[in-house]
Amino acid sequence: MAISLCPKTALVFPLSLLLSLDAFSCSCRLGELTEIELQTSLCKSDQIFIAKALSTTALPKNLTEHTLVVERTIKGDVPGLARSVPGQSTMCHLQFQKGERYIVFAVERDNDRRFASSKCGPSRKDPSPEFVDKIEALVSDADRICNQDFSKLRRDRENEEFELLLEETKRTITSDDDDT
């Protein structure tokens, strides 16, 4: 079966595909993080802070650098003005919008006082007071949290989920038997 495209479609389709590649270049699950993912991010972050985006500067090779005014430090040593540069995968780099407030989970790069932050992690725009309180509580318990075995916690959670599924299946089977 042959597909024929009109000349306009033949030209627009490859262009739209090329422009949409940005959406596929960063592979992560966006949305709410599980407790384990949040704890893992806490342990991997050098700095956690609340800041307001001040400016964006264009860099060579289509990269951007963001300057943020730090309002509150939750973890680490953060200067009053924090500068962001993209990590290795610029498509996953968190893009800050001027004037907006963020909670930033950052990894310091090469001791140059610049940080990288991913849109795949818990960094977010307009953090709720409840989320900030939760992060502060986790940071206060960071020694215990960061020294635990996350792989064991994942296995425990998976086993617990499996047990719940098994119970639900048994109830369904029992219920079906009662109906007959």
Side-chain angles (χ1 to χ4, degrees):
M1 172 185 221
I3 298 175
S4 63
L5 299 172
C6 70
K8 278 186 181 178
T9 306
L11 193 59
V12 171
F13 179 73
L15 181 61
S16 65
L17 182 62
L18 181 64
L19 292 174
S20 67
L21 285 178
D22 180 46
F24 300 106
S25 298
C26 181
S27 61
C28 62
R29 182 183 62 78
L30 297 176
E32 289 303 310
L33 299 174
T34 66
E35 191 70 21
I36 292 172
E37 291 169 326
L38 194 57
Q39 291 176 359
T40 302
S41 294
L42 164 80
C43 297
K44 289 182 177 180
S45 297
D46 297 318
Q47 305 154 330
I48 302 173
F49 55 92
I50 298 174
K52 195 171 193 176
L54 180 65
S55 65
T56 299
T57 305
L59 300 173
K61 298 184 181 179
N62 229 7
L63 302 177
T64 56
E65 174 183 82
H66 304 282
T67 302
L68 290 79
V69 177
V70 177
E71 297 176 347
R72 187 162 139 206
T73 300
I74 298 173
K75 178 184 178 189
D77 178 30
V78 186
L81 284 180
R83 291 185 309 145
S84 162
V85 293
Q88 290 181 343
S89 175
T90 58
M91 301 310 167
C92 291
H93 178 62
L94 184 62
Q95 297 294 314
F96 298 93
Q97 297 171 342
K98 184 178 179 180
E100 297 293 337
R101 180 169 280 107
Y102 295 84
I103 185 167
V104 181
F105 285 67
V107 176
E108 195 169 348
R109 290 180 32 135
D110 303 325
N111 296 320
D112 66 358
R113 301 300 295 180
R114 295 179 188 204
F115 69 89
S117 187
S118 170
K119 67 182 175 187
C120 296
S123 295
R124 61 184 66 184
K125 183 168 79 170
D126 296 325
S128 69
E130 295 81 17
F131 184 73
V132 173
D133 289 347
K134 181 177 187 174
I135 299 307
E136 286 180 327
L138 288 172
V139 168
S140 70
D141 200 18
D143 285 340
R144 182 190 62 78
I145 291 170
C146 297
N147 289 321
Q148 61 188 328
D149 182 357
F150 284 104
S151 60
K152 181 183 179 323
L153 288 174
R154 271 192 212 94
R155 283 192 308 273
D156 290 349
R157 189 186 78 218
E158 288 167 0
N159 287 338
E160 185 178 307
E161 289 170 354
F162 176 76
E163 291 298 324
L164 290 172
L165 182 62
L166 187 60
E167 280 182 41
E168 180 69 26
T169 304
K170 285 178 183 176
R171 278 196 299 267
T172 302
I173 291 171
T174 305
S175 173
D176 289 345
D177 288 344
D178 291 344
D179 291 342
T180 55

